[in-house]
Amino acid sequence: MDKMIKTISENGHFRAFVLDSTETVRLAQEKHDTMASSTVALGRALIANQMLAANEKGDTKITLKILGNSSIGAIISVADTQGQVKGYIQNPDIDLKKTATGEVIVGPLIGQGQFLVITDYGMGHPYHSMTPLVSGEIGEDFAYFLTESQQTPSAVGLNVLLDEEDKVQVAGGFLVQVLPGATEEEIAQFEQRIQNMPAISQLLASSNHIEALLEAIYGEQAFKRLSEEPLSFTCDCSKERFLHALASLPKADLKEMQEEDKGAAINCQFCQTHYHFDENDLEELING
């Protein structure tokens, strides 16, 4: 089962989240039938949003929109504080690799654009925050967002590794943040350790990548494990929710669907679940 380990340094000056999101991204790939580049891009966005939501409390929901201008198109994700995330990618059929190494290409396929975060505290006034995409690699864009928009110096590593058949082999990452009280010397030491870390792909490929990530982040520095929390790809769509959406349409449109299409069909963008509403369903809405 996917999980997030929340930790803090013994001196309370740094915190780190370490994630195993393999099943989350694997299920997203299955739901959207994504090809290699689209799988990695969508997976990175889902992991980033799980990290964003981990910083929140209560019933807060985080919508992450990566709005690039290249072939992958937009990536939309929604996460909550319970570790649940859902998402979709505009173009699921992008598959491009470097011929020499076989490495999956993402950044140029996202291109330039915006990293937009919408935080909904359930009060009716969602908070919007946005920074430009700096590389399209998503991890770097996310770190830039945290540092610039939330004024929290952060280091981020996240990735999705695929097997020989381009199926998700492992997915996960880490988020390290500086907390108040950290000295310049401590920050410099932490930065040096992060810079000297093995590549995130190498750490994820370890037999126990959670422990490998923690060891790489903290080195010899003492730290405490605060919690272990479940993560999952979970969509909260339902027939009732889409029925409610249909009810908001003009009755003339519902009548047209009833007479010409003999019903209505809706696909959930987030999980591709198909919902069908027959003539009787529409009749109830028209007369309701």
Side-chain angles (χ1 to χ4, degrees):
M1 189 172 91
D2 286 356
K3 61 185 177 182
M4 176 188 302
I5 310 290
K6 292 184 176 181
T7 67
I8 191 168
S9 61
E10 198 76 58
N11 61 17
H13 293 170
F14 301 89
R15 69 176 174 187
F17 301 160
V18 178
L19 295 80
D20 178 355
S21 302
T22 304
E23 292 303 323
T24 296
V25 182
R26 192 172 282 159
L27 187 54
Q29 182 184 40
E30 291 172 6
K31 293 281 188 185
H32 296 288
D33 195 22
T34 48
M35 298 185 74
S37 297
S38 296
T39 298
V40 174
L42 175 58
R44 289 179 184 176
L46 294 174
I47 297 166
N49 207 5
Q50 286 175 324
M51 292 179 184
L52 273 169
N55 270 327
E56 301 295 338
K57 294 180 173 63
D59 295 326
T60 303
K61 286 196 174 182
I62 303 285
T63 299
L64 169 61
K65 297 185 178 184
I66 297 171
L67 307 173
N69 63 355
S70 193
S71 52
I72 276 178
I75 307 172
I76 312 295
S77 167
V78 181
D80 63 22
T81 56
Q82 309 306 309
Q84 299 177 335
V85 69
K86 61 183 181 180
Y88 66 92
I89 189 166
Q90 191 173 356
N91 294 319
D93 300 326
I94 307 298
D95 181 5
L96 195 60
K97 302 181 182 71
K98 293 180 180 175
T99 52
T101 61
E103 180 188 350
V104 176
I105 295 173
V106 172
L109 304 178
I110 289 180
Q112 298 177 319
Q114 305 296 332
F115 190 98
L116 171 62
V117 175
I118 303 169
T119 306
D120 186 350
Y121 297 108
M123 310 293 286
H125 301 285
Y127 177 74
H128 292 62
S129 189
M130 184 169 61
T131 52
L133 296 172
V134 293
S135 71
E137 297 293 345
I138 298 178
E140 295 167 28
D141 302 309
F142 181 35
Y144 183 78
F145 170 83
L146 291 170
T147 302
E148 291 296 312
S149 179
Q150 297 191 353
Q151 306 298 307
T152 308
S154 307
V156 173
L158 51 86
N159 210 349
V160 177
L161 306 186
L162 306 179
D163 62 20
E164 293 178 358
E165 297 179 348
D166 287 342
K167 299 298 182 186
V168 176
Q169 182 176 350
V170 62
F174 69 86
L175 167 64
V176 179
Q177 294 185 306
V178 179
L179 299 177
T183 66
E184 291 298 326
E185 184 181 357
E186 287 176 324
I187 294 171
Q189 290 174 349
F190 230 103
E191 285 177 343
Q192 188 66 44
R193 194 153 59 243
I194 297 297
Q195 287 171 2
N196 293 337
M197 281 176 68
I200 182 69
S201 55
Q202 184 180 332
L203 291 168
L204 288 176
S206 306
S207 56
N208 188 339
H209 55 269
I210 288 282
E211 296 306 320
L213 286 165
L214 287 171
E215 185 177 337
I217 291 165
Y218 285 107
E220 298 298 315
Q221 185 171 2
F223 69 93
K224 294 182 285 190
R225 295 174 189 243
L226 300 175
S227 65
E228 179 176 315
E229 301 170 13
L231 301 172
S232 66
F233 184 101
T234 304
C235 189
D236 53 357
C237 69
S238 65
K239 187 166 185 176
E240 288 71 28
R241 179 168 290 189
F242 282 114
L243 200 62
H244 184 70
L246 281 174
S248 66
L249 295 176
K251 292 193 175 183
D253 291 354
L254 295 172
K255 195 73 177 172
E256 188 177 319
M257 290 179 197
Q258 184 187 42
E259 293 174 355
E260 295 185 10
D261 303 324
K262 307 303 180 187
I266 300 177
N267 256 30
C268 174
Q269 282 183 296
F270 287 101
C271 69
Q272 296 301 308
T273 300
H274 178 79
Y275 294 96
H276 178 72
F277 302 90
D278 61 24
E279 293 173 82
N280 291 331
D281 291 326
L282 297 180
E283 185 69 29
E284 287 181 19
L285 292 178
I286 292 166
N287 295 328

